[in-house]
Amino acid sequence: MTKIKTQWKEFLEAISVLQWVLSFLFLGVACYIMIVYLMFTSLWPLSTLYFIWLVMDWQTPERGGRRTSAVRKWRVWEHLRDFFPIKLVKTAELNPNKNYILGCHPHGIMSAGAFTCFSTESCGFTEAFPGVRPSLAILAGLFRIPLLREYIMSAGLCPVSKPSLVHLLSKSGKGNAVVIVIGGAAESLASSPGVNIVVVRQRKGFVRTALEFGADLVPVYSFGENDLFKQVIFSEGSLSRRLQDLFKSIVGFAPCLFVGERLAFLPYRTPVTTVVGSPISVPKCATPTEEEVDHYHTLYMEALSKLFHEHKVSCGLSESHKLRII
């Protein structure tokens, strides 16, 4: 039987989600404002010392970061998980003596499934895959923001940059699982309730990287991710869509216009099930050819489609739902 939640539990869940959403949207800007503001107060030495530290520590995010177990185990993440709820489903073993690139789909508005399952311990990744350490790769620019970089590094996030991937897949031993939300900003613009669109057909860089380091590819699909917010979708070619695309090309992320269920920011209480598929064995090839990249890219798309169709009914979709790969 479903456990009935108390009002206090529901309040804690709502506050936990609200802080996560507000952090996603505004924490970077707030950190910039605070560090600059301190420069014009009697506390200016703090900002000065931090900037000195920032210069000295500039390369740390691309060298594995500073993961902190305590942050990943914060109780707030359990309340965040329970709000929807979010669940991690394992379909195959991951050998801790190998490295992996996990392609996570879809991006949704905020990638709640990817963050909760791979950047916190609330969904039990460590217990499900002993010996495998996940690192969610996000925009490299976020690690240039003062103070914010310390926070996201502590959760085990890393830049989705070549030096960062090289370090994790070749200089940090075995058992590393780099999680990349392949569709990125382009996929977020397609996020809408009931829509199952993934942007991957022309994205082959992650496959090339997997071949260069012999990292197995693992498809991941978060069912329900696109149902958490309602988004205003602008038609292709419209002025609003062109402005979104321009902003995306300059900044790296898309300015989505969305609304949640309550207070505009709180997402809908829709279950999110993140299913981790079976690994695709990838040989190590220092200089992969285009034919090799295309071959394993095709295998990945087929595995992703198979994963979607095998689990869509058990995850709340009807048999008629299709996965559109663009």
Side-chain angles (χ1 to χ4, degrees):
M1 295 180 64
T2 303
K3 185 177 179 180
I4 299 176
K5 296 179 181 179
T6 64
Q7 288 185 338
W8 176 244
K9 170 62 174 171
E10 290 186 344
F11 173 77
L12 290 177
E13 291 175 2
I15 290 297
S16 299
V17 173
L18 184 60
Q19 68 81 27
W20 173 70
V21 171
L22 294 179
S23 295
F24 184 95
L25 296 174
F26 305 118
L27 186 57
V29 174
C31 288
Y32 267 131
I33 292 174
M34 184 174 71
I35 206 76
V36 172
Y37 171 76
L38 290 178
M39 291 292 294
F40 298 93
T41 70
S42 59
L43 297 177
W44 65 266
L46 292 179
S47 289
T48 303
L49 290 173
Y50 181 79
F51 278 119
I52 294 173
W53 160 256
L54 189 62
V55 172
M56 296 173 59
D57 195 56
W58 193 252
Q59 299 300 326
T60 296
E62 295 182 334
R63 295 172 180 169
R66 279 190 296 273
R67 179 188 302 252
T68 304
S69 178
V71 173
R72 292 174 59 87
K73 293 180 179 179
W74 276 350
R75 186 65 181 274
V76 67
W77 306 134
E78 296 179 12
H79 296 308
L80 172 69
R81 173 202 65 197
D82 294 341
F83 176 89
F84 300 96
I86 296 174
K87 181 172 66 173
L88 178 71
V89 174
K90 170 184 176 181
T91 64
E93 296 291 340
L94 296 183
N95 187 343
N97 295 316
K98 302 194 72 173
N99 287 330
Y100 301 91
I101 292 181
L102 277 62
C104 194
H105 313 266
H107 184 286
I109 299 296
M110 299 184 187
S111 298
F115 175 83
T116 308
C117 290
F118 304 117
S119 289
T120 80
E121 297 296 337
S122 62
C123 292
F125 184 93
T126 301
E127 291 75 18
F129 302 100
V132 179
R133 188 173 76 162
S135 298
L136 180 60
I138 61 175
L139 283 175
L142 295 176
F143 294 87
R144 307 311 183 205
I145 300 177
L147 302 178
L148 176 66
R149 67 192 295 272
E150 320 300 338
Y151 178 45
I152 57 181
M153 275 197 293
S154 67
L157 280 78
C158 65
V160 62
S161 63
K162 190 68 173 183
S164 176
L165 299 183
V166 168
H167 181 89
L168 290 169
L169 297 175
S170 66
K171 300 178 181 179
S172 296
K174 300 299 181 181
N176 293 295
V178 180
V179 184
I180 304 175
V181 185
I182 306 296
E187 204 169 79
S188 68
L189 290 175
S191 174
S192 185
V195 172
N196 295 289
I197 295 176
V198 296
V199 179
V200 67
R201 196 171 296 278
Q202 301 301 322
R203 305 203 169 192
K204 303 178 182 180
F206 71 103
V207 178
R208 186 179 299 277
T209 300
L211 282 163
E212 289 174 354
F213 299 103
D216 287 357
L217 291 167
V218 183
V220 179
Y221 199 90
S222 289
F223 292 90
E225 184 72 50
N226 284 343
D227 299 324
L228 303 184
F229 295 95
K230 292 181 179 179
Q231 181 182 187
V232 178
I233 304 293
F234 298 108
S235 60
E236 291 290 342
S238 66
L239 175 61
S240 298
R241 185 55 180 261
R242 291 202 301 270
L243 290 174
Q244 282 183 316
D245 291 336
L246 177 63
F247 187 93
K248 175 169 65 71
S249 63
I250 296 174
V251 181
F253 65 91
C256 301
L257 297 180
F258 64 89
V259 65
E261 184 176 20
R262 286 183 292 169
L263 304 176
F265 291 117
L266 277 181
Y268 287 84
R269 285 181 179 265
T270 301
V272 177
T273 305
T274 300
V275 184
V276 180
S278 301
I280 302 167
S281 182
V282 176
K284 185 175 182 179
C285 181
T287 54
T289 64
E290 289 301 322
E291 290 75 16
E292 289 173 321
V293 173
D294 288 343
H295 172 69
Y296 285 98
H297 185 255
T298 299
L299 290 180
Y300 178 85
M301 289 192 294
E302 291 173 350
L304 176 62
S305 180
K306 180 182 178 182
L307 180 72
F308 176 84
H309 290 294
E310 284 183 348
H311 295 273
K312 62 183 180 182
V313 175
S314 62
C315 293
L317 300 181
S318 67
E319 190 64 47
S320 62
H321 272 85
K322 303 296 182 183
L323 177 64
R324 184 184 172 196
I325 300 178
I326 61 176

